[in-house]
Amino acid sequence: MEKRYDKSDLQAALKVLREGGVILYPTDTVWGIGCDATNAEAVARVYEIKKRVDSKAMLVLLDGAGKLQGYMENVPETAWMLLEANEGQRPMTIIYPHAKNLAPNLLAEDGSIGIRITEEAFSKALCEQLRRPLVSTSANISGEPAAKLFSEISLEILEAVDYVCLFRRDDDSLAKPSSIIKIDDRERITLIRK
């Protein structure tokens, strides 16, 4: 049975997100650094915290596939088939062409964006109640190994964010990163990470 999160923890994280802040939170894969994916200033802070150049795009989480159409010009038919086939499986990030309605500094140079539909309770509730996509990037300085557990997150990251979520801090189960698939304009598929 999945552990329940504390509603006050969720509300505190939402307050920070709505004010343009940056949080550290558990996702369906590893712990993530996140912000409102439509807020360019907040996205810039995430790049700064990770010491990462903003030409390297970050992915976003959504709480349901039905919301995809709000963030890209056209959802490729191939994506719907992949999402359906992957239902209930390991988390999957799809890189879509022609993103829209997101912070411009979040997109790759070709205008694409990686989106993962989260089924994890806390990150799903964050997306639902924020009513916007949530940036999700691993909780580490760029180039350093990703923290698989909360206890592995560096003090530098912990001190740089505006709020550190309480939920699942003591969870010692090792989650795998998502698979990553890129779909281009012609609906060709490239497997980036198995």
Side-chain angles (χ1 to χ4, degrees):
M1 188 172 103
E2 188 173 30
K3 188 178 162 191
R4 291 290 304 154
Y5 57 84
D6 187 300
K7 286 192 174 31
S8 63
D9 187 25
L10 181 75
Q11 292 309 312
L14 284 165
K15 181 179 188 305
V16 168
L17 291 168
R18 288 179 181 131
E19 292 171 354
V22 176
I23 64 169
L24 185 62
Y25 68 109
T27 75
D28 51 346
T29 58
V30 295
W31 273 76
I33 300 171
C35 68
D36 173 353
T38 65
N39 183 328
E41 286 179 27
V43 169
R45 274 210 45 229
V46 174
Y47 282 117
E48 192 178 296
I49 289 167
K50 285 188 66 80
K51 298 183 178 165
R52 183 174 175 173
V53 293
D54 66 8
S55 60
K56 252 189 128 184
M58 295 183 287
L59 70 92
V60 300
L61 296 181
L62 281 175
D63 55 296
K67 295 186 178 171
L68 283 167
Q69 291 162 315
Y71 300 100
M72 66 197 67
E73 289 172 19
N74 181 35
V75 181
E77 191 58 39
T78 310
W80 294 120
M81 291 187 294
L82 284 169
L83 289 166
E84 193 175 304
N86 193 61
E87 205 167 308
Q89 305 297 314
R90 181 172 150 212
M92 176 180 63
T93 300
I94 298 177
I95 300 172
Y96 298 89
H98 309 296
K100 67 177 186 181
N101 300 327
L102 294 167
N105 55 341
L106 189 55
L107 310 182
E109 290 176 355
D110 65 0
S112 64
I113 187 68
I115 298 176
R116 188 167 72 241
I117 308 301
T118 182
E119 294 301 329
E120 186 274 331
F122 193 81
S123 55
K124 188 176 182 84
L126 279 173
C127 290
E128 282 173 352
Q129 293 188 35
L130 184 63
R131 292 194 286 281
R132 293 189 187 100
L134 193 58
V135 167
S136 180
T137 184
S138 56
N140 62 305
I141 302 296
S142 195
E144 292 180 4
K148 291 183 177 74
L149 303 171
F150 178 79
S151 58
E152 296 174 354
I153 299 169
S154 74
L155 188 60
E156 186 175 359
I157 296 286
L158 291 168
E159 289 177 345
V161 299
D162 302 308
Y163 183 73
V164 180
C165 295
L166 302 171
F167 184 59
R168 287 184 35 211
R169 284 191 190 185
D170 58 353
D171 184 352
D172 60 0
S173 56
L174 292 175
K176 290 184 177 172
S178 70
S179 58
I180 302 175
I181 297 167
K182 183 169 185 167
I183 302 175
D184 70 11
D185 285 340
R186 297 185 183 154
E187 299 212 21
R188 291 177 300 203
I189 296 173
T190 305
L191 184 62
I192 308 287
R193 181 170 67 202
K194 260 187 171 177

